[in-house]
Each structure stands twice: as C-alpha cells, then as structure tokens.
Amino acid sequence: MKNLPIDDFDIKSFQDDLISWFEREQRKLPWREDRDPYKIWVSEIMLQQTRVDTVIPYFRRFMEKFPTIEALADASEDEVLKAWEGLGYYSRVRNLHAAVKEVEEHYGGTVPDTPEEVSKLKGVGPYTAGAILSIAYGLPEPAVDGNVMRVLARILSIWEDIAKPSARKVFEEVVRKLISRENPSFFNQALMELGALVCTPKSPSCLLCPVREHCRAFREGTIDELPVKSKGKKQKQIRLQAAVLEDEDGRILIHKRPDKGLLANMWEFVQVEESTVLPARQVLKDYLGDVFKIEAALETEHFTEIRHVFTHLIWDIRVYHGKILNQVQETNELKCVPPDEIETFAFPVPHQKIWKAFREQAKSEKVKDIKG
DNA sequence: AATACGGGGCG
DNA sequence: CGCCCAGTATT
C-alpha cells in the first residue's frame, strides 16, 4: 500500500476525542442493550444497505420471534422470510438462516470469535466479520462500511474512489493503524456513528464535529469534494403483466418464485414479462395456459399500473383482474388462498402495492354498487 | 473488476 | 418524480 500521510497525525488524541464523543452522544439502539454476539450479528446483517430507522422495528420483531440462535435455527424458511418481508436483499436472511444452523451444529450454538471462522459464515463478509469481532468480542479488527470510508477519506484526505471494490482494503489498512487497542468496539462504532450523525454525505455538521481539529478536509476546505465516488449506471426497464386471479370460491392465486435470483422464494401474483410483438393481454393468457394450465377470463383493462425501482432495474407492471375458469392444480409453488390469508405470505413490495391497489378498487366498486 | 441483489428518504 | 444511500456473492 502507498504510504499514507499519517505520520503527522496524532492517533492517540484522535482516538480519545472520537471515543469520548461516542460515549456522550451515541444513540440508544435495541442491539446496543447488551453484547450478545447473536444480536450484534443479526443487527449487522439487517443494517447492510439499510438505514437504522428502518431496521429498528424489524430487529425488535425478529428478536421477539427468534430470541436465540437455537430458535432461529429451528424456524422454517418461510417463517424467517416473512419476518424479513419488506427489508429487501432477501438473500441476507436466507444466508443468515443457513449460517445460524451452521453455528448451532458445528460451534455448539456459540458465534465463533476468530476472523477465519466468522468470515466463513454465509453472508458474513469483511465488514460484518469486523463488526462482530470488534463489537461483540472486543478484537481490534477493521469494520469498514460506507460511513467509515467517507469519514476517513475526509479526515485523512484520501482521494481513493470509494465506489471501487479495491478502496475497502485501503481503508482497512488505515483502520488497522488508527484503531484503539483499548476499545476497538467503541472506536469502530464511533466512526460509523459519526458518519451517520455528523459527517453525513451532504452538508456535514463540521461545526459540531468532535474530531474537526484532526480533519484535513475541513482544514483544507475540501469537505464537499470528499469522498470521491464514481456514479453507477442506470437501471434496465422491464415491462410486466400481472394478474390478480380469483377462483370460483373467491380465493386468490399466488405463485412462489424460484429459489435463486431476484426475490428468491418470495410469493407473488402471477406475472410475465411483456412481449414486444404480441398484444399485452395475450402474453398473459398464453403464459397462464402454457405454464400453469390455467384458463382465465381477464378484464379488458388493467386496474392499476405499478412502478417499482430496484437498484439495477425498474419494473413497470400492468395489473389485470380475472376469474379462473378451470380447476387449478396446486403445487408447492402455486396456491389459491383466501384473501384474508394473503398477508401471511412474504411478498416483495411491488406486489404488496398490487394487493393494496386491488383492495382499493374492490372497495370503490362496492361503493359504486351501493350508490347505483 | 463488474454485476446482481431491495427498499426508503429527501428535495 | 429523480437522486442518493449502502455489503455480499457470484462471475
């Protein structure tokens, strides 16, 4: 690694200012109530790519439902996925579930405390490994997330592009030089807390910053230029046709997605990608017939249109209402369920939006009936 | 090194 | 609305 200019940097004083600020100002968070490595682990997985405010209610519910490693290891995948519904990046919870079973079986239910072992767990990468080892076990391991890169890029004036995968290693080496041996847990948490509360991406509160005197970007007036972060590319757009289908008993047809890829193992209303050549409704009818042997009478017009933006793609879904005319052959992936049971299945947000729109339009039809 | 993988908040 | 945020696995 390039020799970073930290020779004239007062490490001890920086650690003290940072950690004492954290002791004064840290937020009370449910996963900070004790040092249970299981709780730290679950919280860190939830916090990947996800804001604290979003995570808090999920964490509480998750801990109530699965208070221990054993409880989670014994749960079914559907149950676990349901607890994660709406949080996104669902492979996180499938990996967590698998890893917890691994800990239960091979480590006697105790989260391992070495970098080698903890890094082998599914879903535990360099950041999460460092977070568990430092926060739960007090080991001086770096835990470099986006906050840490932003904070350190500013403090030490590091002009590395933090969007590049190679950047993380640079910052890990920096943390190894800076980390407090007395309190690695608070040191790492303080860097992240500072990034979340003070050293924010836009208009950071430098005047409130406990380590302003150590900050090169502040001194040099480059706060708004750091960190350097290149932009990603734009999303691919996908047009989909979906249908809320009722059988003769008013039950709703739902489909379980494949166990790999986007939204793996989540439930959805049947949907198919729009064709560029065939008329819109025909694609859906053909799909239902060819794949599920379902004959359906679809209404001519879609009742709602849903747009959902993912990181790497955009779904535009036209949603039709229809009745199933023949007998549905139910399988593990295909079910008809009563409307009041729909919400017991784990649906991705775009299909939660479909269900919401469906109920709204059903309601408005009723109002029309009464008026008419 | 590049891509797949959700969802929410803010202006 | 568009823009921004943020780790791991896979290829």
Side-chain angles (χ1 to χ4, degrees):
Chain A
M1 190 187 76
K2 289 184 304 219
N3 54 333
L4 281 155
I6 62 171
D7 303 329
D8 63 329
F9 189 81
D10 188 343
I11 296 177
K12 185 70 175 84
S13 163
F14 171 71
Q15 292 171 347
D16 288 347
D17 290 342
L18 182 65
I19 289 174
S20 60
W21 170 81
F22 182 70
E23 287 169 338
R24 291 194 310 272
E25 302 289 343
Q26 65 167 298
R27 292 168 289 182
K28 285 199 201 324
L29 298 171
W31 47 91
R32 286 183 177 161
E33 286 170 8
D34 58 57
R35 305 217 154 271
D36 181 351
Y38 169 63
K39 291 186 194 168
I40 306 290
W41 181 11
V42 171
S43 72
E44 290 301 342
I45 299 294
M46 286 187 172
L47 287 163
Q48 289 169 9
Q49 312 292 90
T50 313
R51 301 181 135 69
V52 166
D53 289 341
T54 307
V55 166
I56 289 172
Y58 280 91
F59 180 82
R60 291 192 196 283
R61 285 197 297 270
F62 202 90
M63 281 308 148
E64 243 168 71
K65 216 160 165 26
F66 315 113
T68 61
I69 293 209
E70 193 185 356
L72 183 55
D74 289 345
S76 73
E77 168 156 323
D78 282 333
E79 211 178 350
V80 170
L81 206 49
K82 180 65 190 173
W84 208 267
E85 180 189 46
L87 251 192
Y89 287 118
Y90 300 96
S91 67
R92 289 186 295 175
V93 75
R94 296 190 302 125
N95 287 334
L96 173 65
H97 195 206
V100 156
K101 288 181 174 181
E102 163 83 6
V103 167
E104 181 69 4
E105 283 177 33
H106 292 97
Y107 296 101
T110 304
V111 181
D113 63 356
T114 68
E116 295 72 28
E117 289 172 320
V118 90
S119 299
K120 262 187 227 150
L121 298 170
K122 275 196 171 59
V124 177
Y127 163 73
T128 308
I132 293 172
L133 292 166
S134 62
I135 300 173
Y137 292 121
L139 299 171
E141 290 291 322
V144 173
D145 70 350
N147 286 313
V148 171
M149 288 196 279
R150 181 175 61 256
V151 169
L152 291 180
R154 287 171 173 165
I155 289 179
L156 292 171
S157 186
I158 298 171
W159 293 77
E160 207 75 32
D161 180 356
I162 66 166
K164 294 212 178 309
S166 53
R168 202 200 68 245
K169 289 182 190 298
V170 173
F171 288 91
E172 282 175 350
E173 286 314 307
V174 171
V175 171
R176 286 189 190 282
K177 292 187 169 122
L178 295 186
I179 194 168
S180 159
R181 309 273 144 178
E182 289 76 47
N183 199 341
S185 166
F186 275 24
F187 181 88
N188 280 343
Q189 291 188 75
L191 278 182
M192 294 187 271
E193 194 82 340
L194 191 66
L197 300 181
V198 177
C199 194
T200 47
K202 275 175 297 185
S203 52
S205 311
C206 295
L207 298 182
L208 298 175
C209 181
V211 292
R212 185 180 59 226
E213 288 176 25
H214 305 274
C215 184
R216 290 195 178 130
F218 180 73
R219 198 156 57 230
E220 295 162 5
T222 52
I223 278 288
D224 292 333
E225 296 163 59
L226 285 169
V228 175
K229 187 174 185 184
S230 55
K231 305 217 184 292
K233 28 185 98 163
K234 41 184 174 293
Q235 303 101 327
K236 184 182 162 202
Q237 186 173 353
I238 299 178
R239 298 182 156 284
L240 295 160
Q241 317 279 328
V244 177
L245 296 180
E246 293 177 86
D247 69 7
E248 57 279 10
D249 301 323
R251 298 179 311 166
I252 310 290
L253 185 75
I254 61 173
H255 171 243
K256 192 176 197 176
R257 296 176 60 87
D259 65 359
K260 291 206 184 315
L262 183 66
L263 303 169
N265 288 353
M266 303 283 287
W267 290 86
E268 63 183 7
F269 303 103
V270 282
Q271 66 175 3
V272 61
E273 190 165 344
E274 188 171 292
S275 154
T276 46
V277 284
L278 268 49
R281 282 167 70 260
Q282 197 56 46
V283 179
L284 190 50
K285 292 201 80 148
D286 291 355
Y287 172 73
L288 290 169
D290 295 347
V291 178
F292 300 119
K293 309 297 173 209
I294 288 173
E295 256 180 78
L298 294 180
E299 282 175 4
T300 341
E301 287 299 322
H302 58 276
F303 66 86
T304 188
E305 206 159 340
I306 304 285
R307 162 165 284 216
H308 191 78
V309 180
F310 298 85
T311 307
H312 57 300
L313 49 86
I314 301 173
W315 274 4
D316 278 307
I317 319 174
R318 284 189 208 286
V319 192
Y320 294 87
H321 180 19
K323 305 270 190 213
I324 298 170
L325 303 174
N326 59 343
Q327 189 65 35
V328 176
Q329 187 55 51
E330 296 203 18
T331 64
N332 283 340
E333 292 78 45
L334 199 66
K335 287 183 190 304
C336 285
V337 304
D340 61 336
E341 287 178 22
I342 285 289
E343 293 177 19
T344 66
F345 294 83
F347 280 76
V349 167
H351 282 244
Q352 293 175 26
K353 292 180 189 165
I354 290 178
W355 185 238
K356 186 166 186 290
F358 177 74
R359 278 177 305 148
E360 308 261 314
Q361 64 92 39
K363 212 186 302 167
S364 65
E365 276 183 11
K366 216 175 237 174
V367 172
K368 249 186 270 171
D369 286 351
I370 295 168
K371 280 187 181 165

